[in-house]
């Protein structure tokens, strides 16, 4: 594992601290030194201690934000609300889906994110769009400057444990800087659909992605000929389905591949099994194995009509790097494979040990592919 193990003997905790919390600090969503103090108070291996300390940190920042806002200091309040959001998100992370504290902390983290939004320089729209008699929801961020008039757009989604709000701290800001509008949304098995409405993940994820593309095409400020897709982590599976089955996409990035969920995640990283079982609505390991047989890209990727980048860390301990090679092999041209090494940085899951290089690499490729002249797509 090419990163610092903050909690020796607990790679899941160490990964979350180094990859998720420290990277969020770099993007203004937390304070490293406060996080260090919180981590020092946690009894290693005690899940209740993890929840208790991060939840307390969230409560302290939430109270600070409210007090600063009452004093007429919105920028200070925004920062504190964003920190509270991430501390509440971190608190609930390792709780089982059946624990009522998980949903409560999730709702609190979303409330803090919403409280911060009015004080952004470029606040997003909170959006919903139709999905099979109900809806999906997320945020639409418009680019700054002249690109606001009519712009390319990205449908952006996470994976097994990433919520749409967190995508702001992963890459949404860098997408905006490159002139993209960005739809960060929660699909089935994610965020609000899972935690509030019990909507589980499904193998035919292209249905949810097509609903997001429908939303983007209908926006008058979006250039319908320049819609791209980015799926990260288990979103590498979801995005693979979308790239293969949604013909309106101009280009796609699978940021962390997942060719077969049973082989590449469930059996490769046993610690994640309870989370995946919750996400797909399985009642047991046997039920999960049966359901996961359908979560495969085998025989699907050959239908892709747009350029696809597959990118992965060679030392990924969460999703097997072989998933990237299998995904790439099944894709038709044009396609691009980038495996990041530990020596250069970027060897771990989602290149979280070197987002500084990996995110620009991906998004610059995407911008160039979206802008490359091609015959216009005729929509039915």
């Amino acid at each position: 594992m090419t990163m610092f193990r903050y909690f020796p003997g607990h790679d899941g905790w160490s990964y979350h601290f180094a990859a998720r919390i420290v990277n969020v600090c770099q993007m203004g969503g937390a304070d490293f030194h406060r996080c260090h103090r919180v981590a020092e108070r946690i009894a290693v291996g005690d899940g209740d201690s993890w929840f208790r300390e991060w939840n307390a940190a969230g409560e302290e920042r939430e109270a600070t934000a409210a007090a600063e806002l009452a004093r007429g200091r919105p920028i200070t309040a925004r920062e504190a609300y964003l920190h509270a959001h991430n501390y509440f998100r971190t608190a609930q992370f390792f709780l089982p889906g059946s624990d009522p504290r998980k949903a409560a902390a999730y709702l609190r983290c979303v409330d803090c994110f919403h409280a911060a939004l009015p004080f952004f320089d470029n606040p997003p729209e909170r959006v919903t769009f139709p999905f099979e008699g109900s809806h999906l929801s997320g945020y639409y961020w418009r680019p700054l400057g002249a690109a606001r008039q009519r712009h390319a757009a990205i449908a952006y989604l996470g994976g097994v444990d990433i919520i749409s709000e967190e995508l702001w701290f992963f890459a949404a800001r860098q997408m905006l800087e490159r002139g993209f509008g960005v739809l960060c949304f929660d699909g089935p098995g994610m965020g609000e659909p899972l935690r509030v409405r019990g909507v589980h993940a499904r193998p035919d994820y292209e249905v949810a992605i097509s609903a997001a593309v429908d939303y983007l095409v209908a926006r008058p400020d979006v250039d319908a000929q320049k819609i791209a897709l980015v799926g990260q982590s288990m979103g590498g599976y979801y995005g693979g389905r979308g790239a293969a089955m949604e013909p309106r996409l101009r280009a796609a990035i699978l940021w962390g591949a997942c060719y077969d969920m049973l082989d590449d995640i469930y059996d490769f990283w046993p610690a994640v099994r309870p989370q995946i079982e919750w996400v797909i609505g399985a009642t047991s390991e046997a039920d999960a194995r049966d359901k996961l047989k359908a979560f495969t890209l085998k025989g699907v990727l050959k239908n892709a009509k747009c350029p696809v980048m597959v990118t992965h860390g060679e030392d990924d301990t969460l999703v097997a790097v072989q998933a990237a090679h299998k995904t790439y092999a099944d894709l038709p041209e044009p396609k691009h494979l980038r495996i990041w090494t530990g020596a250069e940085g970027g060897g771990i899951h989602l290149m979280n040990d070197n987002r500084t290089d990996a995110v620009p690499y991906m998004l610059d490729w995407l911008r160039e592919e979206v802008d490359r002249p091609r015959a216009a797509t005729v929509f039915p």
Side-chain angles (χ1 to χ4, degrees):
M1 197 175 200
T2 55
M3 69 175 188
F4 176 66
R5 286 179 170 84
Y6 199 92
F7 300 99
H10 292 270
D11 281 353
W13 282 25
S14 293
Y15 170 81
H16 195 88
F17 188 87
R20 303 285 279 275
I21 298 170
V22 172
N23 277 323
V24 161
C25 294
Q26 296 181 82
M27 300 300 290
D31 176 78
F32 174 79
H33 298 288
R34 178 173 280 107
C35 292
H36 172 69
R37 292 192 294 272
V38 171
E40 284 191 314
R41 295 194 294 269
I42 295 172
V44 179
D46 182 344
D48 286 333
S49 176
W50 174 282
F51 171 81
R52 184 171 56 253
E53 296 300 338
W54 288 113
N55 193 67
E59 289 178 334
E60 187 276 329
R61 287 291 88 190
E62 183 182 38
T64 296
E68 293 298 330
L69 192 58
R71 295 187 181 102
R73 301 168 180 169
I75 304 305
T76 304
R78 178 190 66 193
E79 181 178 276
Y81 274 129
L82 290 176
H83 291 197
H85 156 75
N86 277 301
Y87 300 150
F88 285 131
R89 181 197 59 76
T90 302
Q92 59 85 46
F93 187 84
F94 291 109
L95 294 175
S98 59
D99 191 320
R101 295 176 297 175
K102 191 175 188 77
Y106 163 76
L107 291 172
R108 207 164 177 183
C109 97
V110 172
D111 285 345
C112 287
F113 190 77
H114 290 170
L117 292 182
F119 311 116
F120 274 62
D121 293 335
N122 180 29
E125 302 169 37
R126 292 169 57 185
V127 303
T128 61
F129 49 92
F131 178 70
E132 296 196 335
S134 184
H135 69 277
L136 297 175
S137 60
Y139 306 87
Y140 191 74
W141 306 79
R142 297 181 68 201
L144 295 171
R148 292 173 71 90
Q149 302 307 312
R150 189 159 175 81
H151 52 264
I154 296 172
Y156 183 22
L157 75 163
V160 72
D161 53 29
I162 298 170
I163 59 177
S164 59
E165 293 80 13
E166 191 183 4
L167 295 174
W168 170 252
F169 303 100
F170 269 99
R173 188 168 73 185
Q174 294 97 318
M175 293 172 179
L176 294 176
E177 291 171 342
R178 286 162 175 80
F180 288 107
V182 186
L183 173 63
C184 300
F185 71 100
D186 287 319
M190 301 176 183
E192 183 271 339
L194 176 64
R195 289 163 173 80
V196 177
R197 292 184 281 138
V199 179
H200 297 287
R202 50 193 287 173
D204 58 339
Y205 221 85
E206 65 273 12
V207 179
I209 290 170
S210 290
V213 174
D214 288 343
Y215 168 79
L216 291 172
V217 167
R219 286 187 65 102
D221 56 351
V222 168
D223 184 343
Q225 298 292 330
K226 292 187 174 184
I227 294 174
L229 173 68
V230 175
Q232 65 185 63
S233 192
M234 203 163 86
Y237 169 78
Y238 301 149
R241 298 285 309 197
M245 307 300 287
E246 174 46 71
R248 295 171 291 181
L249 293 173
R250 192 71 162 192
I253 294 175
L254 309 184
W255 179 1
C258 179
Y259 185 84
D260 184 292
M261 281 181 56
L262 184 58
D263 291 342
D264 298 332
I265 301 182
Y266 194 80
D267 282 339
F268 184 75
W269 187 34
V272 80
R273 288 177 184 173
Q275 179 82 359
I276 290 179
E277 289 163 10
W278 176 52
V279 165
I280 66 173
T283 57
S284 65
E285 180 176 330
D287 186 36
R289 290 184 177 279
D290 186 57
K291 283 183 165 65
L292 287 172
K293 291 175 184 176
F295 285 79
T296 180
L297 296 177
K298 186 176 182 179
V300 175
L301 293 170
K302 63 184 179 182
N303 298 310
K305 299 296 191 295
C306 68
V308 179
M309 172 188 280
V310 182
T311 181
H312 210 95
E314 70 170 0
D315 302 319
D316 194 327
T317 58
L318 280 62
V319 184
V321 69
Q322 288 79 9
H325 294 291
K326 290 185 290 185
T327 298
Y328 181 75
D330 279 10
L331 284 165
E333 295 287 353
K335 58 184 177 179
H336 181 68
L337 177 66
R338 177 65 160 96
I339 303 297
W340 295 76
T341 69
E344 67 183 321
I348 71 169
H349 187 58
L350 299 182
M351 294 78 75
N352 270 318
D353 55 330
N354 189 10
R355 283 197 216 164
T356 302
D357 291 335
V359 171
Y361 182 91
M362 291 186 290
L363 297 185
D364 289 342
W365 175 90
L366 190 65
R367 185 74 249 187
E368 291 164 6
E369 287 298 328
V370 165
D371 290 340
R372 195 181 305 279
R374 291 191 186 91
T377 301
V378 178
F379 300 137

